[in-house]
Each structure stands twice: as C-alpha cells, then as structure tokens.
Amino acid sequence: MIDPLSTRFRVWAPSARSVKVHLIESDRDPLLLERQDCGYYESIVPDVPPGTRYAYILDEDISRPDPASRYQPEGVHGPSEVVDPRAFAWTDTCWSGIPFETFIIYELHVGTFTLPGTFESIIPRLSYLKKEVGITAIELMPVAQCPGTRNWGYDGVNLFAPQANYGGPNGLKSLVDACHAHGLAVIMDVVYNHLGPEGNYLRDFGPYFTDRYTTPWGDAINYDGPDSDEVRSFMTANALYWIHEFHLDALRLDAVHAIYDFGAQHILHEMGEAVHNAGTQLGRPVTLSAESDLNDSRIISPVSRCGYGLDAQWNDDFHHALHTLLTGERD
C-alpha cells in the first residue's frame, strides 16, 4: 500500500534514454525514474501530496508535462499537478443511469454557455434545461486541456486533464454530480483521431503518431503500426478514465472515419468492449456513439456479426440534405 503522501509516477517514454520527475516547487533534485518493461518509467516518490506541481525531464534537458496529467493549472505548456482521484465527495451513489434510447440531448460548449464559462456555472441552469427545455442528457463539447481560454475543444492535447479555466477536475465532477441529482445523464465529446498542434508533446515520449495516414487536422494516431499496443492502451484508458473517475454516462467519439486501424481488432471494437464491461461492473448503462461520414453499419453492428458493437452512430445526412436544399451546394 502506498503511503498517502507518496505519489507513483509512471510514464510511457520508449523514445527517451532517461526520465526524471522534477517537483517544481521543491528544492529536491529531479528524481531518476526506474526503467520498466515496454518503455515505461516508474517510481514511487515520498512526500508528494496532491497539489504538487511537476514535470518530466527527458534525456536530462527536455521538460514536458505528463502525457496523462489529470490537471494542467497553467495550461498546455505548464507543469502538471498531482490530483487525488479519491478526494471528491460524490453524492450520486444511487444514480443508476437512464436508457440510451431515452436521451434527449442538449449539446453545449462550457466556455460560452454562461458568462463565467465554467463547469460549476452551468449547475444553476440544469433545472431550466430539464423542466423548460425538456432534455434528459447534456453533451459537453470536448473539455480536454487545450490552448487558450475559449477554445473550440477539438485540438486538445492533455486528454486526461479537464480544461483548467473551466474549473479543472473538481469543477467537472461537481457538474456531473449535480446533473445526476437532477436526473440528467452526461455525455462527453472525446477526440481520438488527432491531437492539436500547440502543446502536443506526445511525440517526444513515444510513437503516438504515424505518417502512414493523414487527417485534415493533424498527424494520425498510431493505432496499428510498430509500438501501437501502448498507444491503444493509452486511448482506451482515457475512455475508461472518464467513466470511472468522472461518472460519465456516455462518450461521443469525434470523426471516427479519421481513425485508421487495419490491425486484427479495430480500436473501436476494443474500446467499446472495455467501456461496456465497465458499465456492467458499475451496474449502470454506459454507451458509446460515433460520429462518422462513412454510413458504415459495421460501427454499430454487433461483434457477433463482425461489427464494432458501438451503441449509436451520428447521422449527418439530414444536415447535408438540408444544406444542399438551402444553398444549392453539392459537396
């Protein structure tokens, strides 16, 4: 058992010859982490309580935030902060979810939905959204840490860190807890097809990206090339992280047509299986929906019929037909 004031630091960095953890506000020298199998570095460091800010030092001179940082209080270029995932006092222990087919979804952007632009500032409006608008679920546009303060959200780079100026991890947990108290489900929009350009330091740690494929927004994620096993684990762990630590009810996967994986088991199949198993363990429905422009039934076909087994697929055909009708464009 780890001492409550100790922190386990673990990072996948096969591209680095050495990794140290630098405690930013401490007079201790950076501590060399022990190399483990598969390119991981790990050590348990005493006297590192929650709130401690840190960075990883690669090859003695490259300082980078933690790729799996739970909190980036100074943004994408700043240090990471140690977070105790057990510290938040949840009140939704009786929440058992609602059936996915009953979702009436209100999609919102946290930074622009209220003047303060925070997670907690949404809470006073939940009653209105449920009773007056008539929704049963809110969908948060991506909140993984991005550059700036009012980012669109689709170029996040710290996939495990809720946006600091929105209120960070505790702010998001407070919102989800309040939604469940109102009987509302919460969907998170997540982006697993690319990362944004600014603050994207993953390539300094390992082969997270590939040049075998291209996306319109940035380098494609390495889901099927050399050393892709740990990349796949990283992304699947991120999906499970939102379900377990933030009690989310569903994930909406952005633009899965730009997720390229020609391996034996597609990452969408692997991720869907892991998320559904998590829901079974938690005793509540947890669902995955995918945005795709392929009109490919395989995304939602059962695994028994060689599908990926996701729960739903966003269909943009109505939008495209209406746009064509109104504008005359044929693209």
Side-chain angles (χ1 to χ4, degrees), residues 19-321:
V19 178
K20 295 180 179 179
V21 60
H22 176 210
L23 306 178
I24 304 299
E25 298 168 349
S26 170
D27 56 4
R28 287 191 275 182
D29 291 334
L31 177 72
L32 184 66
L33 301 185
E34 298 177 6
R35 180 141 192 157
Q36 309 287 332
D37 293 337
C38 302
Y40 284 93
Y41 290 83
E42 179 180 347
S43 287
I44 297 174
V45 184
D47 300 319
V48 183
T52 301
R53 297 188 181 181
Y54 67 98
Y56 287 125
I57 308 297
L58 308 178
D59 298 334
E60 302 294 338
D61 60 354
I62 302 173
S63 179
R64 293 289 184 255
D66 186 348
S69 168
R70 283 182 166 93
Y71 189 29
Q72 289 294 119
E74 299 176 33
V76 298
H77 303 294
S80 305
E81 184 171 306
V82 174
V83 171
D84 182 354
R86 303 159 296 183
F88 185 81
W90 288 95
T91 66
D92 69 346
T93 53
C94 294
W95 174 253
S96 57
I98 60 175
F100 189 57
E101 59 268 24
T102 67
F103 279 23
I104 302 172
I105 301 169
Y106 185 96
E107 182 179 15
L108 64 85
H109 183 280
V110 175
T112 58
F113 184 69
T114 65
L115 285 175
T118 64
F119 296 119
E120 292 188 333
S121 66
I122 298 170
I123 295 174
R125 302 192 180 191
L126 294 178
S127 180
Y128 163 77
L129 289 173
K130 181 177 182 180
K131 296 178 181 178
E132 302 299 324
V133 181
I135 68 163
T136 62
I138 65 169
E139 178 187 330
L140 304 177
M141 294 174 68
V143 301
Q145 186 70 45
C146 294
T149 58
R150 289 295 186 273
N151 197 289
W152 188 238
Y154 291 92
D155 57 355
V157 292
N158 301 110
L159 298 187
F160 291 78
Q163 185 81 3
N165 64 283
Y166 292 171
N170 280 345
L172 178 55
K173 291 176 181 179
S174 295
L175 173 59
V176 175
D177 201 43
C179 285
H180 290 169
H182 283 79
L184 296 171
V186 185
I187 309 166
M188 175 78 78
D189 197 343
V190 290
V191 183
Y192 296 140
N193 52 57
H194 78 290
L195 272 72
E198 184 180 347
N200 182 359
Y201 297 119
L202 287 186
R203 57 177 50 84
D204 292 331
F205 290 85
Y208 282 90
F209 305 99
T210 178
D211 58 6
R212 296 188 307 279
Y213 318 112
T214 58
T215 82
W217 315 288
D219 292 344
I221 306 295
N222 174 27
Y223 286 115
D224 62 1
D227 297 310
S228 61
D229 285 353
E230 304 310 319
V231 179
R232 297 166 66 93
S233 295
F234 181 84
M235 297 301 178
T236 300
N238 183 255
L240 294 173
Y241 168 76
W242 296 119
I243 304 304
H244 284 290
E245 290 198 19
F246 291 87
H247 296 199
L248 291 179
D249 301 284
L251 299 176
R252 181 263 193 188
L253 309 179
D254 178 68
V256 300
H257 50 269
I259 293 177
Y260 299 100
D261 181 4
F262 296 95
Q265 184 183 62
H266 198 282
I267 185 64
L268 294 180
H269 174 188
E270 181 178 316
M271 192 175 290
E273 198 169 62
V275 167
H276 290 144
N277 287 341
T280 300
Q281 294 166 6
L282 294 168
R284 58 183 175 87
V286 180
T287 55
L288 283 174
S289 61
E291 179 201 21
S292 175
D293 65 6
L294 300 178
N295 286 334
D296 185 356
S297 63
R298 185 177 188 184
I299 292 171
I300 55 174
S301 294
V303 174
S304 61
R305 293 170 50 193
C306 300
Y308 301 151
L310 304 191
D311 300 283
Q313 182 172 184
W314 282 64
N315 190 331
D316 286 334
D317 286 354
F318 175 75
H319 165 272
H320 298 336

